[in-house]
Amino acid sequence: MISHLQYKYCSTVLIYVQALLRKYNMIRNYNFVILKYDINKLMSCLPNLESLHNPYGIVKHHVDNDNLNRMNDVLNLPLTIRHAGLFKLPPKSVGIIHTDFNIINPQYWHATALNIGFGDVSKTYMSWYKQVDPSKTIYDYGHNKDGTPIIQPEDAIKIERINVTTPHIIRISDWHSIDNDSPIDTGYILTLRFDTKYTYDDLVSLLIGPA
């Protein structure tokens, strides 16, 4: 296990490198960010993780308003969290490739988010894709009935992949998915959404600083 000073040093170097990459438009879909918070207090805003169950794979839990308010206090970010969702990724689970666009209510569309991984996420990832044939897009009017655009793996070319062991600002307006490669461990991702007026670059400036 690395020490706090080693983590701080590595994080500082990584953010400096990212700033250079952003300056030359070499980072497309994510940026690493340092967050300071009490993990136990953050966990107290979430349900009992063992109670989340889906026999078909990944579980998504929406954080209620009371716990959302507490989460805002715990994380103390420079902008207010408007929505939070918790993903539970069982071993070898694979998420659908989609964009977070709401066909029915486009005013609720979020183009960017902040993701925080916890638990054993050493093999839990988020990936982005390029679509091969736009005519093959499927619109999912299932559980949320919001017309989420999705594509099949055979219609997608993976262009980026990151491990979720560290918090990241991410683009969710591009094709993306989450998955857990571990054969034994369960991973968790807390995804935070903010006012839709904030762009990806706004979040980078507020949470990391200008390039």
Side-chain angles (χ1 to χ4, degrees):
M1 180 180 293
I2 65 173
S3 69
H4 174 71
L5 286 177
Q6 288 174 318
Y7 173 79
K8 185 175 181 181
Y9 173 77
C10 293
S11 300
T12 302
V13 171
L14 182 55
I15 285 182
Y16 175 75
V17 171
Q18 283 186 160
L20 290 175
L21 293 175
R22 283 190 284 122
K23 183 177 181 180
Y24 296 102
N25 297 315
M26 295 175 68
I27 289 183
R28 272 181 46 86
N29 289 306
Y30 64 90
N31 268 277
F32 167 76
V33 59
I34 296 175
L35 298 178
K36 296 180 180 179
Y37 61 90
D38 185 319
I39 184 62
N40 292 320
K41 289 182 179 179
L42 182 61
M43 293 292 290
S44 72
C45 302
L46 301 173
N48 182 307
L49 301 181
E50 295 301 321
S51 69
L52 302 176
H53 179 67
N54 176 6
Y56 303 105
I58 295 174
V59 183
K60 184 175 182 180
H61 169 81
H62 293 280
V63 177
D64 61 45
N65 288 334
D66 288 341
N67 282 308
L68 189 63
N69 291 333
R70 294 175 56 221
M71 193 176 291
N72 271 295
D73 292 336
V74 170
L75 292 173
N76 194 29
L77 300 174
L79 66 172
T80 302
I81 305 166
R82 299 296 186 189
H83 173 80
L86 174 65
F87 290 99
K88 179 178 182 178
L89 292 85
K92 305 302 290 185
S93 55
V94 179
I96 61 171
I97 303 171
H98 67 288
T99 67
D100 283 57
F101 187 76
N102 191 316
I103 298 294
I104 302 301
N105 297 296
Q107 70 272 23
Y108 298 133
W109 177 47
H110 292 83
T112 188
L114 173 62
N115 275 9
I116 302 172
F118 59 93
D120 192 334
V121 289
S122 59
K123 293 186 178 181
T124 301
Y125 300 91
M126 183 163 184
S127 303
W128 287 266
Y129 305 83
K130 177 180 178 182
Q131 186 175 16
V132 177
D133 184 356
S135 69
K136 294 183 179 179
T137 301
I138 302 167
Y139 296 94
D140 181 11
Y141 293 93
H143 177 67
N144 293 323
K145 297 181 171 59
D146 55 8
T148 299
I150 63 175
I151 56 176
Q152 299 300 325
E154 58 269 22
D155 188 36
I157 299 172
K158 188 177 295 183
I159 56 175
E160 286 184 296
R161 194 186 198 208
I162 59 168
N163 183 271
V164 301
T165 51
T166 54
H168 283 84
I169 299 167
I170 57 167
R171 294 187 196 274
I172 51 177
S173 54
D174 291 340
W175 297 110
H176 62 278
S177 68
I178 52 176
D179 61 274
N180 180 10
D181 284 353
S182 174
I184 56 174
D185 297 312
T186 296
Y188 298 89
I189 299 176
L190 179 64
T191 184
L192 309 177
R193 311 294 166 83
F194 307 94
D195 194 299
T196 55
K197 70 181 181 182
Y198 292 111
T199 65
Y200 180 87
D201 290 337
D202 289 335
L203 261 64
V204 169
S205 294
L206 287 165
L207 298 176
I208 299 176

